[in-house]
Amino acid sequence: MDLLAGLNPEQRAAVVLPAQSALILAGAGSGKTRVLTTRIAYLISTGQVSPHGLLAVTFTNKAAKEMVTRLSAMLPINTRGMWIGTFHGLCNRLLRAHHREANLPQTFQILDSADQLSAIKRVMKAQNVDPEKFIPRDVQNFISGSKEQGLRAHEVEAYDPFTRRKVEIFAEYDAQCQREGVVDFSELLLRCYDLLSRNQSLREHYQERFKHILVDEFQDTNPLQYRWLKLLAGVGEYRSRFPHPNLPPAGEGANVSHRDAGSIFAVGDDDQSIYAFRGANVGNMQELLRDFHVENVIKLEQNYRSHGNILDAANALIANNRNRLGKNLWTAENGGEQLRVYEAPTDVEEAKFIVEEIQQLKREGVNLTEMALLYRSNAQSRVLEHALVSAGLSYRVYGGLRFFERQEIKHALAYLRLMENTDDDNALLRIINFPTRGIGARGIEQLQEAARINNTTLWDAAARAGGKVSAFVALMETLRAGTRELPLPEIMEHVLHHSGLRANYESELATPAKKREAEERLENLNELINAATLFVHENEDDSLTAFLTHATLESGEHQAGDSDDALHLMTVHSAKGLEFHTVFITGLEEGLFPHQNSVDNGEVDEERRLMYVAITRARRRLYMTFAQSRMLHGKTNYSMVSSFMRELPEPLLLWLSPRFVQRAPSFSSPSYSGPAYGGATYGKASPAPFVMPGSAPRDSGALWHVGQQVFHQKFGEGMVTDTEGSGNEGRVQVNFKRAGSKWLSLEYAKLEAI
């Protein structure tokens, strides 16, 4: 009874369930870890299972360690040896115990990502595979992605010669790993699944042993992980018709389970399923209900984290998703503050507003470490980081790198550094074979040796070399000559295009496993052009040398140590599982959040789940910000407010700026052509402005309308981008070709229609 003290009725009901499969729909901040751990303690303390007779699976070592720590505090038992861990950790343990049956040496080693890539390169070299046609990292993602779907090389359908060649590399890579007694991470789970599915006695031993299987974050399971769980529970299809050459023949009755299905206690939240790009299948929750005939579905809806208004907003938003299992978060606390909404004229002004609010919160006694800035895309962090550095605020990028420390940015800067200073050996070494141009490790070693013998820089040695090295030297000379008279942003654009950097990442868009990462890297490269544009506007010395110095200083300033009070910057994906006193959700614009790629691919439901996760990170205060215009490719592009904003109840919102009205595009040619807020199209003027619910429409009369071309005696030609008021008391915002954006009084402006 002491274990059950303090549990709410739903938590208690979940903990004391009978030994039947169950699904616990655990909302954000509803105490799911406590329920899962207490369930384990309850089963052990009531004698329903021994400490070694249950299996508990989670997704991170940190979560597994926390479960063990809590369990140790609940029960006077030795938790060492309990089967609590990650999928990979538990599969590794099982394969170690049965290495002979798995046809592995007892001391088999596990390849990390870098070691796996090296192994694949050796296979490709032995098979004379052109690494420029078959990029090794693409092959690596192909192999890992196939295994995570439960597919061996001979099971992958090769629709064309290109895929068929990758399948051949896959098969030879598997054979090489077998000869060397090593496995990669994906192989751990697949080898374990193969072993159990083909070995009846071993399978039935573990099915009988693990009467209770408990799973954390069930919504994040991929197809193979769910099949592995079904196998251990005595429900599932076995792989006898797909024999694997590295495993012994299937035993008699390999397709038959001789026991009743075990019970799975699955804890998860379909509203927080945001990892489809990693292979997670939110549909596994629906399949669990069907496959295990689940009768017990308990909803944990009481939230212990956030105030009521935050939860009401989250509930209203997620209700727009289809095929939900359904739940409604609530709290015993009060409603708290309204959600603060701010519309900025530009992304720079958005960052400035956020910094000012952070400084005010600090004065009110809120520590920086209790605040988080969330963004949909990593590229958004650059403007925010610049504003924080300028304000002297310490920050930490959680789960990622600062903008100027990211791989693709360092590659681009290395080209620029070498253009400025050919003596920069570090810059040369970074890019001499990136993108790949056939200059291998041996060639670089020879270049370094020549430079040492002649006491010269690597550039001087390269200038005297021949072959592919001389082609690289010629490329750099061409880049230098081609950018000599260009302004800084155009230098960036020229280098990104002619160096092959942009094309390198664009080529990865066709590989599903690499697409998401490639998109982020391309967004960051575009943001580098924006950084150069802003630098020119803010600094008298806008030379390339000055910009490179600026980039170096920004990458090193305000580095927060582990013990420092520092603001958290992160993508929404990285924020899952965390909570903060104050959260800023930035860049709430259509095409950015929800991301245009998701809109195009019909994945808005997952984007909405991502927004739901972002909202529920806040305990006490939540800001949502967006900008009328944002820099893209160094040019100003006008944005539409996120459609998610329309799904939030107006009474919950506190507007810190005038209500949003549709804006027209700038004179630059935007690449975005997706759907806009209110049914309009980006790049085209709407017949009437869309006004946020609850606000009064603006009217400047019939003479002037958004999208109209006008002429001003002083500022020249422009386009109306906003209107306010009526008659002579009204005013219009015009984006002029030469003078930029300006608000003009209709009484004095003397505008002429074109």
Side-chain angles (χ1 to χ4, degrees):
M1 294 303 296
D2 289 342
L3 291 174
L4 305 179
L7 297 178
N8 66 39
E10 291 74 24
Q11 291 174 332
R12 182 187 178 110
V15 168
V16 302
L17 279 172
Q20 298 174 1
S21 291
L23 175 61
I24 312 302
L25 277 178
S30 63
K32 71 175 181 65
T33 303
R34 181 181 184 185
V35 167
L36 196 60
T37 309
T38 307
R39 169 70 172 175
I40 296 173
Y42 175 79
L43 291 173
I44 294 173
S45 64
T46 56
Q48 297 182 58
V49 68
S50 73
H52 302 292
L54 57 80
L55 183 81
V57 194
T58 187
F59 276 83
T60 66
N61 289 317
K62 179 182 178 182
K65 184 177 180 180
E66 181 180 355
M67 286 175 61
V68 171
T69 301
R70 291 194 185 193
L71 198 57
S72 298
M74 289 180 172
L75 294 178
I77 60 171
N78 184 358
T79 56
R80 294 189 64 181
M82 289 187 68
W83 286 72
I84 299 176
T86 64
F87 281 98
H88 290 113
L90 294 171
C91 286
N92 171 62
R93 180 174 174 181
L94 197 146
L95 289 174
R96 297 283 178 192
H98 305 285
H99 62 92
R100 290 189 184 88
E101 293 91 336
N103 198 19
L104 287 170
Q106 186 173 12
T107 57
F108 70 84
Q109 298 299 303
I110 301 172
L111 300 177
D112 61 18
S113 181
D115 291 337
Q116 182 190 24
L117 185 60
S118 297
I120 290 170
K121 288 178 178 178
R122 284 194 286 121
V123 170
M124 293 175 60
K125 185 175 182 180
Q127 293 189 339
N128 295 316
V129 178
D130 184 355
E132 295 190 10
K133 183 177 181 181
F134 294 88
I135 300 173
R137 193 170 292 279
D138 287 349
V139 176
Q140 179 184 29
N141 289 320
F142 172 78
I143 292 173
S144 296
S146 298
K147 289 185 177 184
E148 287 167 5
Q149 292 297 314
L151 301 175
R152 293 291 181 189
H154 62 273
E155 298 174 77
V156 177
E157 293 189 46
Y159 296 101
D160 53 65
F162 186 75
T163 306
R164 191 155 48 246
R165 192 71 178 103
K166 288 196 290 186
V167 168
E168 292 170 356
I169 299 170
F170 182 1
E172 180 53 35
Y173 163 76
D174 257 3
Q176 175 180 281
C177 288
Q178 183 64 32
R179 289 194 301 270
E180 297 175 1
V182 297
V183 298
D184 56 48
F185 278 106
S186 300
E187 180 69 20
L188 282 171
L189 185 58
L190 185 53
R191 180 70 68 101
C192 186
Y193 177 78
D194 279 339
L195 171 64
L196 292 175
S197 66
R198 296 178 52 78
N199 192 310
Q200 178 183 344
S201 60
L202 199 60
R203 180 177 67 254
E204 291 185 346
H205 164 76
Y206 282 104
Q207 288 174 342
E208 191 64 34
R209 175 174 183 173
F210 298 133
K211 294 285 190 181
H212 295 271
I213 300 173
L214 303 96
V215 189
D216 190 18
E217 304 285 9
F218 186 79
Q219 77 279 350
D220 293 336
T221 53
N222 64 30
L224 180 59
Q225 288 165 341
Y226 180 49
R227 286 164 63 185
W228 183 78
L229 290 168
K230 288 200 297 181
L231 190 64
L232 283 173
V235 175
E237 300 173 359
Y238 308 138
R239 297 169 58 92
S240 62
R241 67 187 185 91
F242 293 126
H244 188 270
N246 299 331
L247 291 170
E252 182 181 353
N255 287 319
V256 182
S257 176
H258 294 293
R259 61 183 289 272
D260 293 332
S263 64
I264 284 189
F265 185 88
V267 181
D269 183 3
D270 56 336
D271 291 335
Q272 295 189 76
S273 181
I274 59 173
Y275 295 123
F277 67 93
R278 294 182 187 170
N281 179 21
V282 66
N284 284 348
M285 301 189 82
Q286 297 280 2
E287 290 189 26
L288 176 79
L289 297 178
R290 183 186 67 247
D291 294 340
F292 287 84
H293 307 289
V294 174
E295 298 176 359
N296 299 306
V297 177
I298 294 179
K299 300 178 181 181
L300 304 183
E301 298 173 300
Q302 184 173 358
N303 178 282
Y304 294 92
R305 175 188 300 161
S306 307
H307 275 160
N309 286 340
I310 294 172
L311 299 181
D312 289 346
N315 289 331
L317 176 87
I318 204 64
N320 291 278
N321 266 11
R322 303 157 294 176
N323 303 320
R324 294 175 61 228
L325 293 172
K327 64 182 182 313
N328 206 55
L329 297 179
W330 63 277
T331 180
E333 295 196 45
N334 58 39
E337 302 175 350
Q338 290 175 292
L339 284 59
R340 290 165 161 78
V341 183
Y342 183 77
E343 173 195 20
T346 67
D347 51 349
V348 174
E349 290 297 321
E350 178 190 38
K352 180 182 177 182
F353 164 78
I354 290 170
V355 165
E356 290 172 351
E357 290 297 304
I358 290 169
Q359 291 170 327
Q360 178 59 35
L361 284 162
K362 279 192 68 179
R363 288 190 287 270
E364 294 174 6
V366 182
N367 294 328
L368 287 177
T369 192
E370 281 290 289
M371 295 182 251
L373 271 61
L374 308 185
Y375 35 82
R376 174 63 180 84
S377 170
N378 268 311
Q380 293 171 248
S381 78
R382 203 273 311 166
V383 175
L384 298 170
E385 288 185 59
H386 178 71
L388 292 169
V389 169
S390 299
L393 291 171
S394 183
Y395 68 93
R396 183 182 298 109
V397 179
Y398 184 92
L401 297 171
R402 290 165 176 253
F403 180 78
F404 286 110
E405 295 172 349
R406 293 167 190 164
Q407 179 204 86
E408 60 279 8
I409 300 302
K410 296 186 80 169
H411 285 329
L413 294 179
Y415 276 98
L416 299 169
R417 284 165 48 198
L418 193 60
M419 286 165 50
E420 280 289 277
N421 176 19
T422 56
D423 292 344
D424 191 334
D425 284 356
N426 286 331
L428 184 146
L429 287 171
R430 185 175 191 91
I431 60 174
I432 191 171
N433 196 41
F434 193 93
T436 303
R437 49 179 61 92
I439 304 174
R442 179 60 183 152
I444 295 173
E445 289 173 4
Q446 291 173 342
L447 198 64
Q448 291 174 312
E449 181 65 14
R452 186 188 64 79
I453 292 173
N454 295 301
N455 194 28
T456 64
T457 64
L458 289 176
W459 176 262
D460 291 334
R464 291 192 294 270
K468 294 175 180 177
V469 173
S470 64
F472 169 72
V473 172
L475 169 66
M476 294 305 304
E477 294 288 7
T478 302
L479 289 177
R480 184 184 297 169
T483 57
R484 190 166 288 125
E485 303 299 327
L486 295 179
L488 185 60
E490 293 183 30
I491 290 175
M492 297 291 177
E493 181 62 52
H494 186 93
V495 169
L496 293 180
H497 177 71
H498 292 281
S499 67
L501 272 178
R502 181 174 280 146
N504 174 76
Y505 295 118
E506 286 174 344
S507 69
E508 296 177 350
L509 294 174
T511 305
K514 290 288 290 181
K515 183 178 179 182
R516 177 185 171 83
E517 181 181 332
E519 288 171 346
E520 288 197 353
R521 295 195 189 282
L522 287 167
E523 287 176 356
N524 285 334
L525 290 178
N526 290 334
E527 188 61 28
L528 184 61
I529 302 173
N530 299 341
T533 303
L534 182 63
F535 182 81
V536 169
H537 290 163
E538 291 185 345
N539 295 272
E540 292 184 14
D541 182 359
D542 58 3
S543 65
L544 178 57
T545 300
F547 178 78
L548 291 172
T549 301
H550 158 79
T552 302
L553 292 175
E554 283 225 346
S555 67
E557 283 192 23
H558 303 285
Q559 296 277 7
D562 291 339
S563 60
D564 294 343
D565 181 31
L567 188 73
H568 297 275
L569 270 67
M570 66 190 77
T571 64
V572 182
H573 281 100
S574 297
K576 186 171 179 290
L578 304 177
E579 59 181 77
F580 304 91
H581 175 280
T582 299
V583 168
F584 294 82
I585 307 175
T586 66
L588 279 168
E589 296 139 34
E590 197 72 8
L592 186 56
F593 198 1
H595 200 281
Q596 188 59 36
N597 291 335
S598 298
V599 174
D600 293 340
N601 295 328
E603 298 169 353
V604 176
D605 280 6
E606 175 136 342
E607 288 289 296
R608 191 175 285 107
R609 291 195 291 268
L610 197 58
M611 180 66 174
Y612 176 85
V613 167
I615 291 173
T616 54
R617 299 310 94 196
R619 293 199 301 265
R620 294 295 176 264
R621 182 174 293 187
L622 177 64
Y623 290 86
M624 295 178 291
T625 66
F626 55 95
Q628 297 172 11
S629 65
R630 190 171 293 273
M631 294 287 287
L632 181 65
H633 300 285
K635 298 178 181 179
T636 301
N637 284 260
Y638 282 81
S639 309
M640 310 301 292
V641 66
S642 170
S643 54
F644 292 154
M645 292 298 299
R646 184 169 50 186
E647 298 173 358
L648 302 178
E650 182 69 15
L652 300 178
L653 308 181
L654 174 64
W655 287 80
L656 304 181
S657 56
R659 297 290 204 277
F660 180 88
V661 178
Q662 178 176 297
R663 302 303 196 268
S666 69
F667 286 98
S668 60
S669 299
S671 58
Y672 173 62
S673 59
Y677 192 33
T681 302
Y682 189 99
K684 299 179 182 178
S686 169
F690 182 87
V691 184
M692 284 297 298
S695 65
R698 305 179 190 183
D699 176 23
S700 61
L703 183 59
W704 309 110
H705 59 268
V706 172
Q708 185 174 15
Q709 301 285 344
V710 297
F711 177 80
H712 188 273
Q713 288 290 341
K714 179 179 179 181
F715 303 126
E717 292 185 10
M719 178 191 289
V720 177
T721 59
D722 194 10
T723 63
E724 189 177 74
S726 61
N728 285 340
E729 296 181 358
R731 59 179 190 151
V732 294
Q733 186 179 39
V734 181
N735 189 33
F736 292 101
K737 290 182 178 179
R738 298 196 309 270
S741 182
K742 296 184 181 297
W743 277 100
L744 302 174
S745 167
L746 291 175
E747 184 176 1
Y748 305 107
K750 309 303 181 189
L751 286 175
E752 299 176 21
I754 297 178

